[in-house]
Amino acid sequence: MDRKKLVTKTSIMLGCGESDEQIEETLKDLRKYNVDVVTFGQYLQPSRGHMKVEEYVHPDKFEHWKKMADNMGFLYCASGPLVRSSYKAGEFFLRDYLNK
């Protein structure tokens, strides 16, 4: 497969006890390995049997990570409390990509 036609994507759930340094290091690693698209969402405990939420992340922090991802050269970043890995990422990416 031609790498130029392949778009790679990953997602990061916030609120699990991660530090800013860990998130920033993860973003650097993702760029090093040419990941194109990243999304950030709030981890929500699906049931009492799952890991508890450590922190409800403020929307300003999601905006901070979006700006950082954009500045690092990701082709697209969706970031917000209700964003999920499939959160219209393809739709938004294509719209933004075609408008460039």
Side-chain angles (χ1 to χ4, degrees):
M1 175 171 263
D2 184 3
R3 168 67 181 117
K4 293 177 184 173
K5 293 181 182 179
L6 181 68
V7 176
T8 54
K9 174 183 161 296
T10 195
S11 300
I12 300 172
M13 298 308 292
L14 303 179
C16 300
E18 65 286 333
S19 69
D20 287 357
E21 293 78 18
Q22 290 171 319
I23 298 168
E24 188 169 346
E25 191 63 33
T26 299
L27 288 173
K28 289 177 184 176
D29 288 343
L30 293 171
R31 289 307 303 138
K32 182 168 77 174
Y33 291 103
N34 298 312
V35 173
D36 301 302
V37 176
V38 64
T39 64
F40 293 94
Q42 170 68 53
Y43 171 72
L44 299 172
Q45 184 181 11
S47 73
R48 290 181 189 199
H50 288 83
M51 180 178 76
K52 291 183 179 182
V53 175
E54 290 292 321
E55 173 190 12
Y56 288 99
V57 179
H58 193 278
D60 291 347
K61 198 65 171 182
F62 284 100
E63 184 59 28
H64 166 79
W65 293 121
K66 178 178 180 7
K67 287 178 183 176
M68 180 171 284
D70 289 344
N71 289 336
M72 293 175 83
F74 285 91
L75 293 178
Y76 177 73
C77 176
S79 184
L82 300 179
V83 170
R84 295 294 172 255
S85 63
S86 61
Y87 181 80
K88 299 187 179 186
E91 181 181 316
F92 287 125
F93 170 75
L94 287 174
R95 183 196 66 213
D96 289 349
Y97 188 73
L98 293 172
N99 286 332
K100 289 183 181 179

